[in-house]
Amino acid sequence: MIYQQGQNMTGNARFNGLDWLRGVAAIAVMIFHYQIADSSHWAPRGYLAVDFFFALSGMVMGAAYEKRLSAGLRLPDFMLKVRLPRLYPLLLLSTCAGCAAAYLAHQLPASPDLSFLSQILLIPAVSGGRTLYPYDIATWSILFELFANACHVLFLRRMGTAGLTGVMAASAVMLVLCGHHFGTLDLGARTTTAVGAVARVGYSYTAGVLIWRFHKEHRLPRIPGGLAIATAGLIACLTCPLTHRSAIDLAMDMGAVIFGFPALIIAGLKSVDSLRANSIFSWMGEISYPLYLLHDPVHVWLSKQLGATPSAQIALASAITAICLSWVSLVFYDIPIRTALQASIRRRQNLHREKPSPSTIKL
């Protein structure tokens, strides 16, 4: 979920400001899931961070792969050689961690073996109103991100501005209808609300692709102090207290998703020159994905070990443990495995290129 930029959006530099925002959003999701003693939240709208992730993903995929997609990169190659090697190692780890945590906390689902097998194969539960993935609830958004990636390869890459705007408009209408029906935009994690995930990813991912196209064509404004504005705006969107009036809360959520998050991404595009700041931003971006997947299993296990009643102490212990575990898993598990997979893919591609065709074989 990291892309590179240079003078023409290629090279080794990155939009580190967006890495920073991704890390902030991942922490907000963690805080949202870690309820404190009085059952309130420090980030009551933290579920909206998923929409922010979808928009970032659309821009990332546009920046990193649209040129290759236009050159003929096929869907199977894109999924098997690009996306799954990036996403799956940590998905597998989080599923195993979630299964272990559920076992130790005596919270296994009705069919634990089948649920485990289904989750490692990314097969969601399809009935019963359960979470799509019982061992790690966060996995649902990865499923829909992969769905958006497939749509990008098949359709979005061929669309111009008008076509992408049409997809966004249709998704926005669907989002309004789903929000009105369910009374919230916290949709997608359960079988009963999965249809809402299509609307969420349809709008935000497509918005991200469109932002990249505009940025590539130098059609976006450069906002002084943009990253500071984007950081403050993102925190405000995710921590704004709920009014508990469904119409008002829904309108605020819709405003954040449809207008706020695209604007914050545009503001966060301005590069930062400080090497120290960029090292922190890069770290935040790197740790965001493992933290997003691993924070829930950590909390399940620690809650069982430290006490069943949610408390600020358990939330703090879970947060510290999740951040440390995320960094360890990134350095000693995810990066080595991805490096090995990418090297294996390159070797296979080189062997395929070097294999002589029948027309070049001399008898």
Side-chain angles (χ1 to χ4, degrees), residues 125-165:
V126 294
S127 63
R130 300 170 294 172
T131 57
L132 296 182
Y133 297 102
Y135 289 122
D136 189 358
I137 192 172
T139 305
W140 74 269
S141 66
I142 309 302
L143 173 71
F144 285 96
E145 180 170 331
L146 288 170
F147 166 74
N149 292 159
C151 291
H152 195 165
V153 178
L154 296 174
F155 310 113
L156 298 182
R157 68 182 177 92
R158 297 186 176 93
M159 293 182 177
T161 300
L164 293 176
T165 303

mmCIF file of all heavy atoms in Angstrom, residues 125-165:
data_model
loop_
_atom_site.group_PDB
_atom_site.id
_atom_site.type_symbol
_atom_site.label_atom_id
_atom_site.label_comp_id
_atom_site.label_asym_id
_atom_site.label_seq_id
_atom_site.Cartn_x
_atom_site.Cartn_y
_atom_site.Cartn_z
ATOM 1 N N ALA A 125 -18.041 -15.374 5.663
ATOM 2 C CA ALA A 125 -19.311 -15.963 6.083
ATOM 3 C C ALA A 125 -20.429 -15.296 5.286
ATOM 4 O O ALA A 125 -20.363 -14.104 4.992
ATOM 5 C CB ALA A 125 -19.524 -15.745 7.580
ATOM 6 N N VAL A 126 -21.442 -16.069 4.927
ATOM 7 C CA VAL A 126 -22.464 -15.524 4.031
ATOM 8 C C VAL A 126 -23.855 -15.498 4.649
ATOM 9 O O VAL A 126 -24.811 -15.096 3.991
ATOM 10 C CB VAL A 126 -22.511 -16.327 2.709
ATOM 11 C CG1 VAL A 126 -21.225 -16.145 1.934
ATOM 12 C CG2 VAL A 126 -22.766 -17.816 2.971
ATOM 13 N N SER A 127 -23.991 -15.903 5.887
ATOM 14 C CA SER A 127 -25.334 -15.924 6.480
ATOM 15 C C SER A 127 -25.221 -15.794 7.992
ATOM 16 O O SER A 127 -24.146 -15.890 8.579
ATOM 17 C CB SER A 127 -26.061 -17.227 6.122
ATOM 18 O OG SER A 127 -25.379 -18.356 6.652
ATOM 19 N N GLY A 128 -26.361 -15.574 8.607
ATOM 20 C CA GLY A 128 -26.448 -15.608 10.053
ATOM 21 C C GLY A 128 -26.165 -14.299 10.765
ATOM 22 O O GLY A 128 -26.195 -14.238 11.986
ATOM 23 N N GLY A 129 -25.891 -13.232 10.019
ATOM 24 C CA GLY A 129 -25.630 -11.956 10.663
ATOM 25 C C GLY A 129 -24.307 -11.887 11.402
ATOM 26 O O GLY A 129 -24.070 -10.971 12.178
ATOM 27 N N ARG A 130 -23.425 -12.867 11.169
ATOM 28 C CA ARG A 130 -22.132 -12.883 11.854
ATOM 29 C C ARG A 130 -21.146 -11.932 11.171
ATOM 30 O O ARG A 130 -21.397 -11.419 10.097
ATOM 31 C CB ARG A 130 -21.559 -14.300 11.840
ATOM 32 C CG ARG A 130 -22.446 -15.341 12.521
ATOM 33 C CD ARG A 130 -21.907 -16.731 12.227
ATOM 34 N NE ARG A 130 -22.010 -17.053 10.803
ATOM 35 C CZ ARG A 130 -21.472 -18.139 10.251
ATOM 36 N NH1 ARG A 130 -20.749 -18.966 10.994
ATOM 37 N NH2 ARG A 130 -21.623 -18.382 8.964
ATOM 38 N N THR A 131 -20.014 -11.734 11.849
ATOM 39 C CA THR A 131 -18.947 -11.014 11.176
ATOM 40 C C THR A 131 -18.447 -11.859 10.012
ATOM 41 O O THR A 131 -18.451 -13.093 10.065
ATOM 42 C CB THR A 131 -17.775 -10.747 12.144
ATOM 43 O OG1 THR A 131 -17.302 -11.987 12.677
ATOM 44 C CG2 THR A 131 -18.217 -9.849 13.291
ATOM 45 N N LEU A 132 -18.012 -11.192 8.946
ATOM 46 C CA LEU A 132 -17.558 -11.926 7.768
ATOM 47 C C LEU A 132 -16.348 -12.795 8.087
ATOM 48 O O LEU A 132 -16.178 -13.874 7.509
ATOM 49 C CB LEU A 132 -17.211 -10.948 6.645
ATOM 50 C CG LEU A 132 -18.364 -10.112 6.079
ATOM 51 C CD1 LEU A 132 -17.859 -9.231 4.934
ATOM 52 C CD2 LEU A 132 -19.498 -10.999 5.590
ATOM 53 N N TYR A 133 -15.504 -12.322 9.017
ATOM 54 C CA TYR A 133 -14.290 -13.049 9.388
ATOM 55 C C TYR A 133 -14.178 -13.050 10.914
ATOM 56 O O TYR A 133 -13.715 -12.073 11.507
ATOM 57 C CB TYR A 133 -13.062 -12.400 8.750
ATOM 58 C CG TYR A 133 -13.091 -12.456 7.240
ATOM 59 C CD1 TYR A 133 -13.435 -11.332 6.492
ATOM 60 C CD2 TYR A 133 -12.795 -13.630 6.558
ATOM 61 C CE1 TYR A 133 -13.475 -11.380 5.107
ATOM 62 C CE2 TYR A 133 -12.836 -13.688 5.176
ATOM 63 C CZ TYR A 133 -13.171 -12.560 4.459
ATOM 64 O OH TYR A 133 -13.218 -12.622 3.092
ATOM 65 N N PRO A 134 -14.582 -14.141 11.575
ATOM 66 C CA PRO A 134 -14.677 -14.135 13.039
ATOM 67 C C PRO A 134 -13.346 -14.046 13.768
ATOM 68 O O PRO A 134 -13.306 -13.596 14.912
ATOM 69 C CB PRO A 134 -15.377 -15.463 13.344
ATOM 70 C CG PRO A 134 -15.105 -16.328 12.158
ATOM 71 C CD PRO A 134 -15.068 -15.399 10.992
ATOM 72 N N TYR A 135 -12.244 -14.475 13.152
ATOM 73 C CA TYR A 135 -10.961 -14.464 13.859
ATOM 74 C C TYR A 135 -10.254 -13.120 13.803
ATOM 75 O O TYR A 135 -9.338 -12.876 14.575
ATOM 76 C CB TYR A 135 -10.043 -15.554 13.305
ATOM 77 C CG TYR A 135 -10.500 -16.944 13.687
ATOM 78 C CD1 TYR A 135 -10.777 -17.892 12.709
ATOM 79 C CD2 TYR A 135 -10.674 -17.302 15.011
ATOM 80 C CE1 TYR A 135 -11.203 -19.165 13.048
ATOM 81 C CE2 TYR A 135 -11.104 -18.567 15.363
ATOM 82 C CZ TYR A 135 -11.365 -19.495 14.372
ATOM 83 O OH TYR A 135 -11.797 -20.744 14.728
ATOM 84 N N ASP A 136 -10.634 -12.274 12.881
ATOM 85 C CA ASP A 136 -10.085 -10.914 12.825
ATOM 86 C C ASP A 136 -11.047 -10.067 12.015
ATOM 87 O O ASP A 136 -11.073 -10.129 10.785
ATOM 88 C CB ASP A 136 -8.689 -10.897 12.203
ATOM 89 C CG ASP A 136 -8.024 -9.530 12.340
ATOM 90 O OD1 ASP A 136 -8.663 -8.605 12.873
ATOM 91 O OD2 ASP A 136 -6.862 -9.385 11.911
ATOM 92 N N ILE A 137 -11.823 -9.272 12.698
ATOM 93 C CA ILE A 137 -12.907 -8.544 12.059
ATOM 94 C C ILE A 137 -12.409 -7.598 10.973
ATOM 95 O O ILE A 137 -13.103 -7.329 9.990
ATOM 96 C CB ILE A 137 -13.723 -7.769 13.125
ATOM 97 C CG1 ILE A 137 -15.034 -7.249 12.526
ATOM 98 C CG2 ILE A 137 -12.901 -6.660 13.737
ATOM 99 C CD1 ILE A 137 -15.977 -6.656 13.564
ATOM 100 N N ALA A 138 -11.153 -7.104 11.106
ATOM 101 C CA ALA A 138 -10.634 -6.127 10.151
ATOM 102 C C ALA A 138 -10.424 -6.699 8.760
ATOM 103 O O ALA A 138 -10.303 -5.943 7.787
ATOM 104 C CB ALA A 138 -9.316 -5.550 10.674
ATOM 105 N N THR A 139 -10.407 -8.024 8.632
ATOM 106 C CA THR A 139 -10.138 -8.654 7.338
ATOM 107 C C THR A 139 -11.182 -8.295 6.287
ATOM 108 O O THR A 139 -10.887 -8.309 5.086
ATOM 109 C CB THR A 139 -10.054 -10.186 7.500
ATOM 110 O OG1 THR A 139 -9.071 -10.489 8.493
ATOM 111 C CG2 THR A 139 -9.670 -10.879 6.200
ATOM 112 N N TRP A 140 -12.380 -7.936 6.698
ATOM 113 C CA TRP A 140 -13.441 -7.660 5.724
ATOM 114 C C TRP A 140 -13.044 -6.557 4.745
ATOM 115 O O TRP A 140 -13.340 -6.637 3.552
ATOM 116 C CB TRP A 140 -14.749 -7.263 6.434
ATOM 117 C CG TRP A 140 -14.759 -5.884 7.011
ATOM 118 C CD1 TRP A 140 -14.404 -5.511 8.265
ATOM 119 C CD2 TRP A 140 -15.144 -4.674 6.335
ATOM 120 N NE1 TRP A 140 -14.520 -4.153 8.431
ATOM 121 C CE2 TRP A 140 -14.982 -3.619 7.259
ATOM 122 C CE3 TRP A 140 -15.601 -4.386 5.061
ATOM 123 C CZ2 TRP A 140 -15.270 -2.293 6.939
ATOM 124 C CZ3 TRP A 140 -15.883 -3.065 4.732
ATOM 125 C CH2 TRP A 140 -15.725 -2.045 5.669
ATOM 126 N N SER A 141 -12.357 -5.526 5.248
ATOM 127 C CA SER A 141 -12.024 -4.407 4.368
ATOM 128 C C SER A 141 -10.957 -4.796 3.347
ATOM 129 O O SER A 141 -10.915 -4.235 2.245
ATOM 130 C CB SER A 141 -11.553 -3.208 5.187
ATOM 131 O OG SER A 141 -10.329 -3.481 5.837
ATOM 132 N N ILE A 142 -10.100 -5.770 3.693
ATOM 133 C CA ILE A 142 -9.089 -6.236 2.741
ATOM 134 C C ILE A 142 -9.775 -6.974 1.592
ATOM 135 O O ILE A 142 -9.375 -6.836 0.425
ATOM 136 C CB ILE A 142 -8.060 -7.146 3.435
ATOM 137 C CG1 ILE A 142 -7.500 -6.462 4.691
ATOM 138 C CG2 ILE A 142 -6.942 -7.512 2.470
ATOM 139 C CD1 ILE A 142 -6.849 -5.127 4.437
ATOM 140 N N LEU A 143 -10.809 -7.740 1.911
ATOM 141 C CA LEU A 143 -11.573 -8.419 0.861
ATOM 142 C C LEU A 143 -12.129 -7.417 -0.143
ATOM 143 O O LEU A 143 -11.999 -7.595 -1.361
ATOM 144 C CB LEU A 143 -12.715 -9.229 1.478
ATOM 145 C CG LEU A 143 -13.695 -9.864 0.491
ATOM 146 C CD1 LEU A 143 -13.037 -11.023 -0.249
ATOM 147 C CD2 LEU A 143 -14.959 -10.348 1.202
ATOM 148 N N PHE A 144 -12.721 -6.328 0.356
ATOM 149 C CA PHE A 144 -13.340 -5.358 -0.542
ATOM 150 C C PHE A 144 -12.298 -4.483 -1.232
ATOM 151 O O PHE A 144 -12.547 -3.974 -2.329
ATOM 152 C CB PHE A 144 -14.378 -4.528 0.216
ATOM 153 C CG PHE A 144 -15.639 -5.295 0.481
ATOM 154 C CD1 PHE A 144 -15.841 -5.935 1.697
ATOM 155 C CD2 PHE A 144 -16.601 -5.430 -0.504
ATOM 156 C CE1 PHE A 144 -16.991 -6.678 1.930
ATOM 157 C CE2 PHE A 144 -17.760 -6.169 -0.281
ATOM 158 C CZ PHE A 144 -17.953 -6.793 0.944
ATOM 159 N N GLU A 145 -11.138 -4.326 -0.619
ATOM 160 C CA GLU A 145 -10.063 -3.627 -1.315
ATOM 161 C C GLU A 145 -9.583 -4.458 -2.504
ATOM 162 O O GLU A 145 -9.329 -3.912 -3.587
ATOM 163 C CB GLU A 145 -8.897 -3.341 -0.376
ATOM 164 C CG GLU A 145 -7.760 -2.604 -1.069
ATOM 165 C CD GLU A 145 -6.707 -2.097 -0.117
ATOM 166 O OE1 GLU A 145 -7.041 -1.814 1.045
ATOM 167 O OE2 GLU A 145 -5.548 -1.970 -0.542
ATOM 168 N N LEU A 146 -9.461 -5.767 -2.316
ATOM 169 C CA LEU A 146 -9.082 -6.635 -3.435
ATOM 170 C C LEU A 146 -10.153 -6.613 -4.529
ATOM 171 O O LEU A 146 -9.831 -6.657 -5.725
ATOM 172 C CB LEU A 146 -8.864 -8.068 -2.940
ATOM 173 C CG LEU A 146 -7.595 -8.284 -2.107
ATOM 174 C CD1 LEU A 146 -7.609 -9.685 -1.477
ATOM 175 C CD2 LEU A 146 -6.353 -8.102 -2.970
ATOM 176 N N PHE A 147 -11.402 -6.535 -4.126
ATOM 177 C CA PHE A 147 -12.497 -6.397 -5.096
ATOM 178 C C PHE A 147 -12.333 -5.108 -5.900
ATOM 179 O O PHE A 147 -12.473 -5.099 -7.130
ATOM 180 C CB PHE A 147 -13.836 -6.408 -4.364
ATOM 181 C CG PHE A 147 -15.007 -5.958 -5.184
ATOM 182 C CD1 PHE A 147 -15.541 -6.786 -6.161
ATOM 183 C CD2 PHE A 147 -15.572 -4.706 -4.992
ATOM 184 C CE1 PHE A 147 -16.617 -6.362 -6.939
ATOM 185 C CE2 PHE A 147 -16.650 -4.280 -5.748
ATOM 186 C CZ PHE A 147 -17.170 -5.112 -6.732
ATOM 187 N N ALA A 148 -11.999 -4.013 -5.211
ATOM 188 C CA ALA A 148 -11.777 -2.735 -5.902
ATOM 189 C C ALA A 148 -10.558 -2.817 -6.814
ATOM 190 O O ALA A 148 -10.568 -2.261 -7.923
ATOM 191 C CB ALA A 148 -11.614 -1.618 -4.875
ATOM 192 N N ASN A 149 -9.510 -3.495 -6.369
ATOM 193 C CA ASN A 149 -8.326 -3.676 -7.218
ATOM 194 C C ASN A 149 -8.685 -4.394 -8.506
ATOM 195 O O ASN A 149 -8.232 -4.022 -9.595
ATOM 196 C CB ASN A 149 -7.260 -4.481 -6.479
ATOM 197 C CG ASN A 149 -6.648 -3.756 -5.301
ATOM 198 O OD1 ASN A 149 -6.080 -4.374 -4.402
ATOM 199 N ND2 ASN A 149 -6.752 -2.434 -5.272
ATOM 200 N N ALA A 150 -9.508 -5.446 -8.399
ATOM 201 C CA ALA A 150 -9.930 -6.181 -9.590
ATOM 202 C C ALA A 150 -10.746 -5.293 -10.522
ATOM 203 O O ALA A 150 -10.557 -5.316 -11.754
ATOM 204 C CB ALA A 150 -10.735 -7.415 -9.179
ATOM 205 N N CYS A 151 -11.644 -4.497 -9.949
ATOM 206 C CA CYS A 151 -12.426 -3.563 -10.774
ATOM 207 C C CYS A 151 -11.526 -2.529 -11.438
ATOM 208 O O CYS A 151 -11.788 -2.108 -12.573
ATOM 209 C CB CYS A 151 -13.485 -2.876 -9.916
ATOM 210 S SG CYS A 151 -14.808 -3.971 -9.348
ATOM 211 N N HIS A 152 -10.468 -2.126 -10.757
ATOM 212 C CA HIS A 152 -9.515 -1.173 -11.322
ATOM 213 C C HIS A 152 -8.876 -1.752 -12.575
ATOM 214 O O HIS A 152 -8.770 -1.088 -13.609
ATOM 215 C CB HIS A 152 -8.448 -0.853 -10.279
ATOM 216 C CG HIS A 152 -7.635 0.352 -10.592
ATOM 217 N ND1 HIS A 152 -6.840 0.985 -9.673
ATOM 218 C CD2 HIS A 152 -7.477 1.078 -11.748
ATOM 219 C CE1 HIS A 152 -6.249 2.020 -10.227
ATOM 220 N NE2 HIS A 152 -6.608 2.090 -11.487
ATOM 221 N N VAL A 153 -8.445 -3.021 -12.486
ATOM 222 C CA VAL A 153 -7.808 -3.668 -13.635
ATOM 223 C C VAL A 153 -8.792 -3.835 -14.786
ATOM 224 O O VAL A 153 -8.467 -3.597 -15.951
ATOM 225 C CB VAL A 153 -7.228 -5.038 -13.230
ATOM 226 C CG1 VAL A 153 -6.609 -5.743 -14.439
ATOM 227 C CG2 VAL A 153 -6.180 -4.874 -12.138
ATOM 228 N N LEU A 154 -10.013 -4.248 -14.459
ATOM 229 C CA LEU A 154 -10.981 -4.602 -15.494
ATOM 230 C C LEU A 154 -11.691 -3.389 -16.098
ATOM 231 O O LEU A 154 -11.972 -3.377 -17.302
ATOM 232 C CB LEU A 154 -12.017 -5.569 -14.917
ATOM 233 C CG LEU A 154 -11.471 -6.931 -14.462
ATOM 234 C CD1 LEU A 154 -12.575 -7.731 -13.776
ATOM 235 C CD2 LEU A 154 -10.908 -7.707 -15.643
ATOM 236 N N PHE A 155 -11.978 -2.364 -15.265
ATOM 237 C CA PHE A 155 -12.838 -1.278 -15.738
ATOM 238 C C PHE A 155 -12.256 0.122 -15.523
ATOM 239 O O PHE A 155 -12.183 0.916 -16.469
ATOM 240 C CB PHE A 155 -14.208 -1.345 -15.048
ATOM 241 C CG PHE A 155 -14.848 -2.699 -15.083
ATOM 242 C CD1 PHE A 155 -15.039 -3.429 -13.920
ATOM 243 C CD2 PHE A 155 -15.255 -3.267 -16.289
ATOM 244 C CE1 PHE A 155 -15.630 -4.678 -13.952
ATOM 245 C CE2 PHE A 155 -15.839 -4.517 -16.337
ATOM 246 C CZ PHE A 155 -16.029 -5.227 -15.161
ATOM 247 N N LEU A 156 -11.871 0.410 -14.284
ATOM 248 C CA LEU A 156 -11.544 1.792 -13.934
ATOM 249 C C LEU A 156 -10.378 2.329 -14.743
ATOM 250 O O LEU A 156 -10.355 3.520 -15.096
ATOM 251 C CB LEU A 156 -11.242 1.899 -12.436
ATOM 252 C CG LEU A 156 -12.368 1.532 -11.473
ATOM 253 C CD1 LEU A 156 -11.919 1.746 -10.032
ATOM 254 C CD2 LEU A 156 -13.635 2.325 -11.755
ATOM 255 N N ARG A 157 -9.393 1.497 -15.047
ATOM 256 C CA ARG A 157 -8.218 1.992 -15.778
ATOM 257 C C ARG A 157 -8.584 2.479 -17.180
ATOM 258 O O ARG A 157 -7.850 3.277 -17.765
ATOM 259 C CB ARG A 157 -7.159 0.896 -15.869
ATOM 260 C CG ARG A 157 -7.528 -0.295 -16.754
ATOM 261 C CD ARG A 157 -6.420 -1.329 -16.726
ATOM 262 N NE ARG A 157 -6.745 -2.529 -17.489
ATOM 263 C CZ ARG A 157 -6.443 -2.704 -18.758
ATOM 264 N NH1 ARG A 157 -5.825 -1.739 -19.431
ATOM 265 N NH2 ARG A 157 -6.757 -3.827 -19.375
ATOM 266 N N ARG A 158 -9.692 1.990 -17.730
ATOM 267 C CA ARG A 158 -10.119 2.397 -19.074
ATOM 268 C C ARG A 158 -10.996 3.646 -19.058
ATOM 269 O O ARG A 158 -11.301 4.205 -20.105
ATOM 270 C CB ARG A 158 -10.888 1.252 -19.742
ATOM 271 C CG ARG A 158 -10.064 0.001 -19.979
ATOM 272 C CD ARG A 158 -10.874 -1.014 -20.770
ATOM 273 N NE ARG A 158 -10.094 -2.192 -21.100
ATOM 274 C CZ ARG A 158 -10.042 -3.301 -20.377
ATOM 275 N NH1 ARG A 158 -10.744 -3.373 -19.240
ATOM 276 N NH2 ARG A 158 -9.304 -4.332 -20.747
ATOM 277 N N MET A 159 -11.436 4.065 -17.884
ATOM 278 C CA MET A 159 -12.375 5.172 -17.775
ATOM 279 C C MET A 159 -11.660 6.501 -17.697
ATOM 280 O O MET A 159 -10.599 6.622 -17.081
ATOM 281 C CB MET A 159 -13.260 5.005 -16.532
ATOM 282 C CG MET A 159 -14.209 3.834 -16.594
ATOM 283 S SD MET A 159 -15.256 3.755 -15.108
ATOM 284 C CE MET A 159 -16.311 2.361 -15.521
ATOM 285 N N GLY A 160 -12.266 7.520 -18.293
ATOM 286 C CA GLY A 160 -11.783 8.876 -18.155
ATOM 287 C C GLY A 160 -12.432 9.554 -16.966
ATOM 288 O O GLY A 160 -13.104 8.915 -16.149
ATOM 289 N N THR A 161 -12.278 10.855 -16.913
ATOM 290 C CA THR A 161 -12.814 11.621 -15.786
ATOM 291 C C THR A 161 -14.330 11.472 -15.674
ATOM 292 O O THR A 161 -14.866 11.288 -14.574
ATOM 293 C CB THR A 161 -12.456 13.105 -15.935
ATOM 294 O OG1 THR A 161 -11.024 13.234 -15.960
ATOM 295 C CG2 THR A 161 -13.012 13.923 -14.789
ATOM 296 N N ALA A 162 -15.025 11.534 -16.797
ATOM 297 C CA ALA A 162 -16.489 11.432 -16.768
ATOM 298 C C ALA A 162 -16.932 10.071 -16.249
ATOM 299 O O ALA A 162 -17.866 9.972 -15.441
ATOM 300 C CB ALA A 162 -17.055 11.681 -18.171
ATOM 301 N N GLY A 163 -16.262 9.007 -16.696
ATOM 302 C CA GLY A 163 -16.633 7.674 -16.257
ATOM 303 C C GLY A 163 -16.393 7.468 -14.770
ATOM 304 O O GLY A 163 -17.249 6.914 -14.056
ATOM 305 N N LEU A 164 -15.236 7.917 -14.290
ATOM 306 C CA LEU A 164 -14.942 7.779 -12.863
ATOM 307 C C LEU A 164 -15.902 8.612 -12.020
ATOM 308 O O LEU A 164 -16.348 8.168 -10.954
ATOM 309 C CB LEU A 164 -13.496 8.211 -12.590
ATOM 310 C CG LEU A 164 -12.391 7.329 -13.181
ATOM 311 C CD1 LEU A 164 -11.027 7.932 -12.902
ATOM 312 C CD2 LEU A 164 -12.456 5.911 -12.624
ATOM 313 N N THR A 165 -16.232 9.800 -12.513
ATOM 314 C CA THR A 165 -17.200 10.632 -11.791
ATOM 315 C C THR A 165 -18.561 9.955 -11.732
ATOM 316 O O THR A 165 -19.265 10.030 -10.717
ATOM 317 C CB THR A 165 -17.318 12.008 -12.461
ATOM 318 O OG1 THR A 165 -16.029 12.628 -12.520
ATOM 319 C CG2 THR A 165 -18.268 12.910 -11.691
#
